Amino acid sequence: MLDATTRSGGTATATPRAIATELVVRAPAPAPLITPADSAVTAPGGLAARCARGLRSPWSRFALLVTLLAAAASSVLLFEPQKLLSDGWPPQLGGISAAAVFAVAYGLCTVAFVPRPLLNLAAGALFGSQWGIGAALVGTVLGAGIAFGLGRVLGQDALRPLLRGRLLKAADGQLSRHGMRSMLAARLFPGVPFWAANYCAAVSRMGWVSFLVATAVGSIPNTAAYVVAGARASSPTSPAFLIAMACITLPALVGAVVAWRKRHHLRPA
């Protein structure tokens, strides 16, 4: 009769069922099972953290750059882009789409160390003077931008501490302080390999805009000369072909003379 007493206003007395309910202790939820492999990955010094630190280190990024460039050069040896001069462009591509695809392939080939004169001759032979010059210039700027970006992101931090030699310091100081003028001269006068100028500029403190503008403007004369020579190669005695060959030869001679006379100015910054 305990329940009746409670209802009538007497002293509240707990029922045996309520007492049993209160004494029930809820079992704690089971802890998640953590294996040794999971703890090794999630720990502060675990595998994931070590991999992240390794990828952020300058020499790891530089090793990635070397691997990418080696793979690109190997792919060029396999696909042999020089066959464009003998086999021609795939017949299913034509017009603007063919020139656009060629420009992209041109840029990727320059990253893979394919000589630009060969690509310029192919542009002239495949598309003629006008379309060939346009496709070659677009491919030149595209390839230079890709190489500059790869060198700046993956190689600059590792290579800048190594700039201790006299010539290296001089080149770095020239590109860092007078980037537009220096890159314009390197593009106008042949002698400096295209890929070497790209990666030297990437390691320096030269800006993106100066690099791309100087590359686009400075590459016009030499690119146009090679493209016209490729377009008129079937008539080597024509005035256009002879003028193109003169425009190829004269800058090379002038560049060699200027480099010889200015060699004593290469001093550390």
Side-chain angles (χ1 to χ4, degrees):
M1 304 306 292
L2 293 174
D3 293 331
T5 305
T6 304
R7 285 194 299 268
S8 62
T11 304
T13 306
T15 62
R17 181 178 299 178
I19 295 174
T21 304
E22 293 178 358
L23 292 177
V24 174
V25 180
R26 294 184 178 180
L33 181 60
I34 300 178
T35 62
D38 294 334
S39 61
V41 173
T42 58
L47 179 61
R50 290 196 298 270
C51 291
R53 287 195 299 269
L55 291 176
R56 288 195 298 266
S57 67
W59 285 106
S60 296
R61 296 200 303 269
F62 180 71
L64 178 60
L65 174 63
V66 173
T67 302
L68 291 175
L69 295 180
S74 300
S75 65
V76 166
L77 295 177
L78 292 176
F79 292 104
E80 298 181 355
Q82 64 271 16
K83 289 184 178 180
L84 290 174
L85 292 174
S86 58
D87 300 342
W89 195 247
Q92 60 269 22
L93 292 176
I96 298 178
S97 60
V101 173
F102 179 85
V104 175
Y106 185 114
L108 295 177
C109 286
T110 59
V111 178
F113 309 109
V114 177
R116 284 184 62 248
L118 175 65
L119 298 172
N120 292 331
L121 291 173
L126 294 174
F127 304 104
S129 298
Q130 295 181 352
W131 284 104
I133 291 173
L137 285 176
V138 172
T140 297
V141 177
L142 177 62
I146 294 174
F148 186 85
L150 288 174
R152 178 60 57 88
V153 174
L154 299 179
Q156 187 186 46
D157 293 340
L159 295 179
R160 278 202 66 82
L162 302 180
L163 299 177
R164 298 189 180 93
R166 182 173 67 90
L167 293 177
L168 293 177
K169 284 186 176 181
D172 175 64
Q174 188 71 18
L175 289 172
S176 298
R177 294 192 308 270
H178 311 289
M180 176 77 76
R181 184 177 65 188
S182 301
M183 187 54 56
L184 191 63
R187 301 306 191 193
L188 283 173
F189 298 104
V192 180
F194 184 73
W195 61 269
N198 294 337
Y199 291 111
C200 287
V203 174
S204 72
R205 294 186 175 91
M206 185 177 182
W208 274 90
V209 176
S210 299
F211 173 78
L212 293 178
V213 171
T215 297
V217 176
S219 300
I220 291 176
N222 186 264
T223 301
Y226 274 99
V227 171
V228 172
R232 302 301 179 91
S234 58
S235 54
T237 58
S238 63
F241 181 82
L242 295 177
I243 292 174
M245 293 304 299
C247 292
I248 293 172
T249 305
L250 289 179
L253 295 177
V254 173
V257 172
V258 172
W260 175 259
R261 297 186 62 180
K262 298 293 183 180
R263 69 188 187 282
H264 59 278
H265 291 292
L266 288 176
R267 295 174 180 172

